[in-house]
Amino acid sequence: MRKLSTLAILFAASVFLAGARLPAQGPLPEPRPDTEQTTSPSAPPAEKAEPPAPEEVPAPQPKPDVKEPEAPASSQTPAPQAAPAKPEPTEPMQGPPLPPGTAGRPQAPEENKPQGEQTLEEQQLTIEPESDAEHAECTAALQALGVVFKEAPRIDDGNGCGIDKPIIVSEALPGIALKPEATMRCPAALALARWIKESVIPAAAAALPGQGRITSVNQATSYMCRLRNGAGTGKISEHARGNAIDIASFHFEKGEDVAVRSRREDSTLTGAFQRTVSAAGCLYFTTVLDPESDAAHETHFHLDVIERKGGYRYCH
């Protein structure tokens, strides 16, 4: 009986307590939002309970969802910071060397190219200075031979093309015009005058006496800024330094001009004359190239006074 009475008391107390909590915890039925979708009367209390809802709203926040990739990025900031920090120095390393201060570095490999693969600009050449005393001695020798010439201002066409003390020759010897007049250094003009006087005139008198004396020497090229044979790369031409002249033909008082052309198999006296003056050219010039040398010289003699080690000369 006591047990039953105690159970009855406990039951009554629980009922009383439940009844007492209902009014105080009336808003607690937060699980009712599930029922709020089905029942409209519970909707107003749900609106009252919306203040906690904004605290739960962050769950559907799209911004944090979008920022979530930023959050891991920020959380992993040390790793990405190291990554961008590396490309940033490398990018300026790749960018600046081309235009600004490291422009010399890309040129270094150009300087390492063989000279035969370098352009005139890449070779960074300069004009060779001439001694005043040597120039005066040379021009005095020209005057003694009767060469007609005039002094000209210094020529500087850039990239090493030019002549420090150029002269313009209009007569290679008295009575023998140089057509057209030629701009060159004095040593080249002196070699030309001596070659004509001591070899060309005697050879013409012996081989072609019926044609009279030589009245003019026709030149194709004297000073010209270019590489050898007009190529895009390679060594600078001696024409670009005023050391060379190309002879195309000889004009005689009578008869036809003797044009320089391939005469290896020419058994006439004209052929003998050309071969003789070509061979004699090496007595005065350090380089002689004739039509038998290569295709670039099929129509003229190339004569120059380049200085080589040991006094070496190239004659073909």
Side-chain angles (χ1 to χ4, degrees):
M1 294 295 292
R2 291 179 179 178
K3 293 180 180 179
L4 290 175
S5 61
T6 55
L7 289 173
I9 293 169
L10 291 173
F11 178 76
S14 62
V15 172
F16 176 78
L17 291 174
R21 292 177 183 175
L22 286 174
Q25 296 182 350
L28 292 177
E30 294 177 356
R32 291 181 184 177
D34 298 337
T35 59
E36 288 172 4
Q37 298 176 353
T38 55
T39 61
S40 58
S42 58
E47 291 176 356
K48 295 179 181 179
E50 281 178 1
E55 298 175 357
E56 297 176 355
V57 170
Q61 287 176 353
K63 296 179 181 179
D65 295 338
V66 178
K67 293 178 181 179
E68 284 177 0
E70 297 177 354
S74 60
S75 61
Q76 297 176 352
T77 309
Q81 282 176 352
K86 293 178 181 176
E88 287 176 357
T90 54
E91 290 175 356
M93 289 294 292
Q94 294 174 353
L98 296 175
T102 54
R105 293 182 181 175
Q107 290 177 357
E110 302 296 337
E111 294 175 356
N112 293 334
K113 284 183 181 178
Q115 191 174 26
E117 298 178 6
Q118 292 181 1
T119 64
L120 187 58
E121 293 75 11
E122 290 172 343
Q123 295 181 44
Q124 300 179 352
L125 302 173
T126 57
I127 298 172
E128 296 179 359
E130 297 186 62
S131 163
D132 291 339
E134 291 178 357
H135 181 70
E137 181 180 353
C138 179
T139 54
L142 287 181
Q143 291 171 348
L145 289 170
V147 177
V148 178
F149 68 94
K150 61 183 177 181
E151 302 276 356
R154 185 176 189 271
I155 299 172
D156 186 353
D157 290 331
N159 300 314
C161 292
I163 306 173
D164 189 23
K165 293 177 171 57
I167 62 171
I168 301 174
V169 179
S170 55
E171 285 191 18
L173 284 174
I176 301 180
L178 186 58
K179 294 185 178 180
E181 62 184 14
T183 301
M184 61 183 80
R185 289 181 62 238
C186 183
L190 185 58
L192 177 67
R194 288 173 174 170
W195 173 62
I196 293 174
K197 180 180 180 180
E198 299 171 9
S199 296
V200 176
I201 292 176
L208 307 167
Q211 293 198 196
R213 69 182 185 87
I214 296 175
T215 58
S216 66
V217 175
N218 302 313
Q219 61 96 6
T221 311
S222 54
Y223 170 76
M224 179 180 287
C225 181
R226 63 174 173 83
L227 296 178
R228 293 181 182 180
N229 299 329
T233 59
K235 293 184 178 181
I236 190 171
S237 171
E238 290 307 302
H239 287 286
R241 296 185 179 277
N243 288 329
I245 188 167
D246 293 342
I247 303 301
S249 66
F250 302 90
H251 180 72
F252 288 79
E253 206 172 18
K254 307 173 192 177
E256 298 179 354
D257 291 359
V258 174
V260 177
R261 59 182 176 82
S262 178
R263 297 183 185 274
R264 177 178 294 172
E265 305 302 329
D266 186 351
S267 58
T268 67
L269 287 173
T270 301
F273 165 74
Q274 179 177 301
R275 290 192 299 272
T276 299
V277 298
S278 175
C282 212
L283 299 174
Y284 308 92
F285 298 93
T286 56
T287 304
V288 176
L289 301 173
D290 64 17
E292 315 305 336
S293 300
D294 53 33
H297 300 89
E298 288 180 341
T299 59
H300 62 273
F301 294 139
H302 169 87
L303 312 170
D304 73 49
V305 292
I306 185 176
E307 294 183 5
R308 297 188 181 90
K309 293 180 180 179
Y312 174 76
R313 299 188 176 209
Y314 182 84
C315 304
H316 192 284

